[in-house]
Amino acid sequence: MDRVLSNSRYPAKAHAAKVASYLKSKSPSAVGIIYLEGQKTHMIEDNDEPVPFRQRRYFFYLSGCNLPDSCLTYNIHTKHLTLFIPPIDPESVIWSGLPVLPTQALKLYDVDDVRLTSEINAYLTSHDPAADSTGSCVWAIPEQVSDQSIFLAFEQKDLLGLKDAIEECRVVKDEYEIALIKKANEVSAIAHTAVLKAAKHARNERELEAIFLEKCIANGAREQAYHGIFASGTNAATLHYQKNDQELGTRLNLLLDAGAEWRCYASDVTRTFPISGRFSKESREIYDIVLRMQQECIQQLKEKVLWDDVHALAHEIAIEGLLDLGILTGRKEEIFEKRTSVAFFPHGLGHYLGMDTHDTGGHPDYKDKDRMFRYLRVRGRLPGGSIITVEPGIYFCRFILEPYLDDPVHKDHIDREILDRYWDVGGVRIEDNVLITETGYENLTTAVKVVEEMESVIDSS
């Protein structure tokens, strides 16, 4: 991992060629220019401070450049990648220092040429279609093209195909991208461990969030892949709990869903652990079911596996476990067919991971009438080189469960009396980031999840 990241640059030209090849697979005669703009500097409304910067992922994929107000062109015929960066603004130098210069950028980024953004329109209008042999087209993403951009030199404008092409290409990761996600996971594991060590002595969720952020920044990851979830007790029944400000008090567990970002690439790691250092009987029972769900689903992973089937397997294991506890009653097959388990496991098993936490190319169907698959963010077969999260969970959310208790289809399959023992568990989720290979998988997540190991870390504080 460190060897890959230290000895090479982000493979922007390979990504550009990959996207161009995808475009040509849809239109074999495709020639012309790919044009992408990076994120602009925006000011906070009624304030003289900029909005926190986050680079556009489509632009980054073809540039590896994290500078604001930049753009690029890629000539499909000549395979020439040109990066345009902002010129020096003398007024800003006194406040912010000198920006990256073209000569520096040419060394930093895997591009053929670096120019200034003040030259981009002259560059585009001087484009010679004859150089592309058979006319030309400009591919761009319409909502990411500024009003000042000029495409008059091009015979055609394709504002539909480029976004889809990049999203599909991003699914399969190369060695460099895998190394970035491994690094993000490495930092996340350090931060997760620090939270475990502090759990016994913390009084509020926000203290644990602060520790996680401190460890990430101290280890080089200034950005988070997403807003972390630090959900104690019954707060863990809310899938994307955001408050992170509640007193821990006598709550049983903490569901910690947080991941560092490393050079625009995400990690997404969830652990659930006992705040006191020891799971209650009911918490441990649910944790063991979820851990089994995850372990058996991961064992199924390899190139071309049907993700829908793996998701269904997670539900089957959940049903078996809840039947053993007496929370569910009846025949396993009937419970599965009626989708009663969705009340306890309402989300999808996982999603692609890359520059975005919920990365592109999954083709979800949020209009699916089958509730078991409606929120499954990836549908179909997994290609080798993709990275997917495996994050089963079981939750005790009154808002979701109580309608099931009165529903004639489901109520006879749920034992209310036994269920009442588990409300304080809140929710249990365990999430790892897994690389799909031709013959199997590689788990990129190293944060501890074996109960005895977690308890040992908690007790060590």
Side-chain angles (χ1 to χ4, degrees):
M1 173 186 66
D2 291 331
R3 174 190 58 80
V4 172
L5 297 181
S6 61
N7 293 339
S8 58
R9 297 179 293 181
Y10 183 86
K13 287 194 284 189
H15 290 177
K18 185 178 180 181
V19 171
S21 178
Y22 185 92
L23 290 172
K24 290 180 77 69
S25 73
K26 302 297 181 182
S27 178
S29 60
V31 290
I33 295 288
I34 292 171
Y35 175 77
L36 287 166
E37 294 183 6
Q39 185 60 265
K40 307 297 183 186
T41 299
H42 297 288
M43 305 306 290
I44 298 173
E45 187 177 5
D46 300 326
N47 191 275
D48 63 355
E49 285 289 311
V51 173
F53 177 73
R54 184 180 190 271
Q55 187 60 281
R56 284 173 172 164
R57 273 25 187 177
Y58 301 97
F59 171 81
F60 190 88
Y61 188 68
L62 271 72
S63 69
C65 175
N66 205 29
L67 301 177
D69 305 308
S70 302
C71 58
L72 67 82
T73 62
Y74 180 74
N75 189 308
I76 292 177
H77 179 64
T78 64
K79 301 180 181 179
H80 193 85
L81 180 59
T82 304
L83 175 65
F84 296 81
I85 62 175
I88 294 176
D89 177 5
E91 294 292 327
S92 70
V93 171
I94 190 173
W95 305 103
S96 306
L98 284 168
V100 174
L101 303 175
T103 52
Q104 296 171 316
L106 195 57
K107 295 178 181 179
L108 287 171
Y109 308 118
D110 180 32
V111 297
D112 297 300
D113 190 16
V114 179
R115 303 189 183 197
L116 300 176
T117 50
S118 54
E119 304 173 51
I120 183 61
N121 277 331
Y123 182 88
L124 290 172
T125 53
S126 66
H127 174 70
D128 180 10
D132 291 330
S133 72
T134 57
S136 66
C137 176
V138 59
W139 281 268
I141 298 173
E143 60 271 22
Q144 296 186 2
V145 176
S146 57
D147 294 338
Q148 295 77 25
S149 300
I150 300 173
F151 295 152
L152 297 177
F154 299 91
E155 296 176 6
Q156 302 175 56
K157 301 178 185 65
D158 188 325
L159 303 179
L160 298 176
L162 180 58
K163 187 171 184 285
D164 287 344
I166 297 175
E167 289 183 350
E168 294 301 318
C169 289
R170 281 169 55 179
V171 172
V172 174
K173 303 326 191 258
D174 53 43
E175 182 184 38
Y176 198 94
E177 293 178 288
I178 294 167
L180 289 171
I181 294 174
K182 281 185 177 180
K183 185 65 177 181
N185 266 277
E186 180 182 87
V187 175
S188 294
I190 294 170
H192 272 265
T193 302
V195 172
L196 280 173
K197 289 180 177 179
K200 261 188 176 182
H201 309 291
R203 293 174 296 175
N204 191 290
E205 294 166 346
R206 60 174 168 259
E207 296 175 43
L208 301 177
E209 181 178 21
I211 290 168
F212 190 93
L213 295 174
E214 185 272 329
K215 287 299 180 183
C216 287
I217 294 171
N219 285 277
R222 292 188 60 86
E223 306 298 334
Q224 294 292 291
Y226 53 96
H227 188 284
I229 298 166
F230 294 77
S232 61
T234 57
N235 294 333
T238 299
L239 300 185
H240 285 174
Y241 173 76
Q242 297 287 289
K243 290 181 179 179
N244 298 348
D245 63 358
Q246 300 298 295
E247 295 295 321
L248 298 179
T250 58
R251 297 172 190 261
L252 297 177
N253 310 313
L254 187 92
L255 189 155
L256 167 51
D257 183 341
E261 179 179 295
W262 192 267
R263 299 185 197 172
C264 294
Y265 277 76
S267 60
D268 187 359
V269 181
T270 307
R271 295 292 183 259
T272 308
F273 59 86
I275 297 170
S276 69
R278 291 292 181 275
F279 274 127
S280 68
K281 174 180 177 294
E282 290 79 12
S283 296
R284 178 63 188 263
E285 289 169 344
I286 300 302
Y287 189 91
D288 286 346
I289 295 171
V290 175
L291 185 60
R292 182 187 160 210
M293 290 165 70
Q294 193 202 43
Q295 290 173 333
E296 294 195 20
C297 287
I298 288 176
Q299 288 298 318
Q300 300 299 311
L301 298 183
K302 63 178 179 179
E303 184 178 81
K304 298 181 180 179
V305 70
L306 186 62
W307 185 241
D308 305 56
D309 289 347
V310 185
H311 176 69
L313 174 63
H315 272 274
E316 291 173 2
I317 297 168
I319 292 168
E320 290 174 3
L322 295 174
L323 280 170
D324 289 342
L325 296 181
I327 296 173
L328 290 178
T329 62
R331 292 176 52 250
K332 171 186 170 182
E333 295 76 14
E334 185 178 359
I335 294 170
F336 182 88
E337 290 170 6
K338 290 182 177 180
R339 304 314 199 219
T340 306
S341 58
V342 174
F344 299 91
F345 178 27
H347 60 78
L349 180 61
H351 49 80
Y352 284 139
L353 184 72
M355 286 185 283
D356 290 315
T357 305
H358 298 152
D359 213 35
T360 61
H363 304 291
D365 180 7
Y366 297 126
K367 295 181 180 180
D368 195 328
K369 294 180 180 179
D370 189 334
R371 286 177 298 173
M372 185 174 286
F373 296 95
R374 185 176 302 156
Y375 298 115
L376 190 58
R377 296 180 188 271
V378 175
R379 305 298 293 267
R381 300 190 181 278
L382 305 182
S386 62
I387 295 176
I388 197 158
T389 67
V390 184
E391 50 178 308
I394 291 177
Y395 310 87
F396 298 90
C397 176
R398 290 184 183 274
F399 183 81
I400 295 175
L401 271 167
E402 286 178 349
Y404 279 76
L405 298 177
D406 296 322
D407 189 318
V409 174
H410 303 288
K411 64 180 183 179
D412 291 338
H413 292 297
I414 303 174
D415 188 311
R416 291 172 182 251
E417 184 177 345
I418 295 180
L419 174 63
D420 283 342
R421 304 174 195 166
Y422 291 84
W423 293 116
D424 287 344
V425 174
V428 173
R429 182 165 65 250
I430 308 171
E431 178 179 19
D432 289 358
N433 308 158
V434 182
L435 170 66
I436 304 301
T437 67
E438 183 179 354
T439 57
Y441 65 90
E442 179 185 353
N443 193 332
L444 307 182
T445 302
T446 58
V448 297
K449 61 184 176 184
V450 174
V451 171
E452 291 74 20
E453 292 178 6
M454 292 194 300
E455 292 177 343
S456 175
V457 174
I458 296 169
D459 287 343
S460 69
S461 61

